[in-house]
Amino acid sequence: MAEEEDDPGFDEDLDDGGNGVDSGQGKRKRLFSKELRCMMYGFGDDQNPYTESVDILEDLVIEFITEMTHKAMSIGRQGRVQVEDIVFLIRKDPRKFARVKDLLTMNEELKKTLKAFDEANYGS
Amino acid sequence: MADPARVRPEAGRPEPGEGSCSSTSSEPAAKPRSAAAAEEEEEEGSSSLHPSPAKKLKMEHDKKKEKRQKVDEDEIQKMQVLVSSFSEEQLNRYEMYRRSAFPKAAIKRLIQSITGSSVSQNVVIAMSGISKVFTGEIVEEALDVCEKWGDKPPLQPKHMREAVRRLRSREQSPNTKHKHILFH
C-alpha cells in the first residue's frame, strides 16, 4: 500500500493493542481498505477518501469487533461467541439491534427458501 | 423487508396514514386495529364475546403481522419512488451504500483469532452487519463535524477523531478507558 504520508514512527506502536484511534496499528496489514473506501463513499464521504481517514476507520472497526468479541466471550457460554450474546450486547443501541434482527431473519428466510427449493428439485 | 407477493390484499381496510419507518414491530395504531378486530372475530366464527386466551394471542399476533406487512409495503413503495428520482451521482452513492460490505472471510478470521475457537456463520453475519452500521454512524457524525467546522469533504482525520469523541461521550461507541471488563 503506498502510504506516503505515514511517518516511520508508527511502526514503534506495536504494544498499543487496544486504542487504535491516536496511533496506527503498526505493521498490521490493512484488512478492509477497499471495502471501507466504498463504504465511506456510500455513507456520504467523497468518492476518494483520504487514506489516513480510511486507516483510522479500519482501526476503529477492528477495535469495535475485538471489544464485542471479548464481551461476548465473557457472558453466556464462557469462551465462545454466540449470536445470542451479540444480540444481548447490542440491545441498547436501536439501530444496530434492528439491523441484526433484520439480517438474521432474512438469513433464516433464505435458508428456508433454498431448502424448499432443493427438496422440490430432488424428489419428494 | 417483507416480500410484497406474500401480502394478502385486504379490501376495505383503512390506510394507517403515518409512514413510520421502523420495520421492527412498533406500537400498532388504534384505528386499523379496531377494524381488524371486527373482521377477525367474524372470521373466527366464535360468537362469544370473550375468546379464549390462546385465540386472543393468535389474533393479536395476526393483527400485528398484517399491520407490519402493510407498513413494509408502504415503505417499499416510498423507497421505489425515491430511488426513481435519484440523479446519477446519487444512484452511484446509493448503490455503494447498499452493496458495500466487509469480507466475511476476514471477519471470521479476525473473530477466530480472538476467541481461539471456531464461530458459527450467523455470528459472522451479525458482526459484519453491526460493523457496517458502526462505520455508518462514525462517517455520518464526522460529516456533521466537518460541516460544523466549515470544512468540506473528503473527511480528514481530525473530523473522524472528533466524531469518535462525540460518539463515546454519548456512549454510542465502546469506550474501554473507563469501563474495566473482567473476563477469564
Side-chain angles (χ1 to χ4, degrees), chain B residues 8-177:
Chain B
R8 320 189 296 272
E10 294 272 357
R13 174 154 319 198
E15 285 270 329
E18 11 84 13
S20 64
C21 283
S22 64
S23 50
T24 55
S25 54
S26 41
E27 323 83 72
K31 220 172 80 168
R33 206 172 179 203
S34 49
E39 271 192 49
E40 294 282 351
E41 270 177 298
E42 276 184 58
E43 263 181 63
E44 291 288 339
S46 66
S47 52
S48 62
L49 291 167
H50 305 287
S52 64
K55 258 193 203 162
K56 233 187 207 168
L57 274 173
K58 184 173 185 296
M59 274 159 47
E60 295 246 348
H61 183 67
D62 285 343
K63 270 181 253 164
K64 274 199 186 143
K65 208 170 169 193
E66 289 185 27
K67 170 100 194 343
R68 208 186 320 151
Q69 284 172 345
K70 199 84 198 333
V71 169
D72 279 343
E73 229 184 38
D74 285 344
E75 200 182 325
I76 292 177
Q77 275 181 346
K78 287 185 186 172
M79 282 304 288
Q80 286 176 340
V81 169
L82 181 63
V83 175
S84 59
S85 60
F86 274 169
S87 73
E88 172 152 353
E89 201 240 336
Q90 287 174 323
L91 268 176
N92 252 339
R93 206 183 276 273
Y94 186 61
E95 182 184 347
M96 279 297 117
Y97 163 68
R98 293 289 293 251
R99 288 190 148 189
S100 64
F102 288 114
K104 295 222 184 341
I107 302 266
K108 185 163 187 174
R109 224 181 318 140
L110 180 61
I111 301 182
Q112 287 184 338
S113 76
I114 300 175
T115 67
S117 62
S118 66
V119 292
S120 73
Q121 206 190 35
N122 275 351
V123 170
V124 178
I125 292 178
M127 197 62 94
S128 327
I130 302 182
S131 309
K132 183 169 174 187
V133 177
F134 177 67
T135 54
E137 286 177 350
I138 296 189
V139 173
E140 285 178 1
E141 188 70 27
L143 283 168
D144 275 346
V145 169
C146 180
E147 194 181 327
K148 189 166 180 197
W149 288 356
D151 294 328
K152 284 206 178 72
L155 293 169
Q156 302 169 36
K158 59 180 177 178
H159 303 137
M160 315 281 296
R161 280 189 261 262
E162 173 67 14
V164 174
R165 194 196 61 83
R166 286 192 192 180
L167 285 178
R168 283 200 177 150
S169 77
R170 266 188 271 150
E171 297 197 7
Q172 270 178 292
S173 181
N175 183 3
T176 37
K177 285 189 182 158

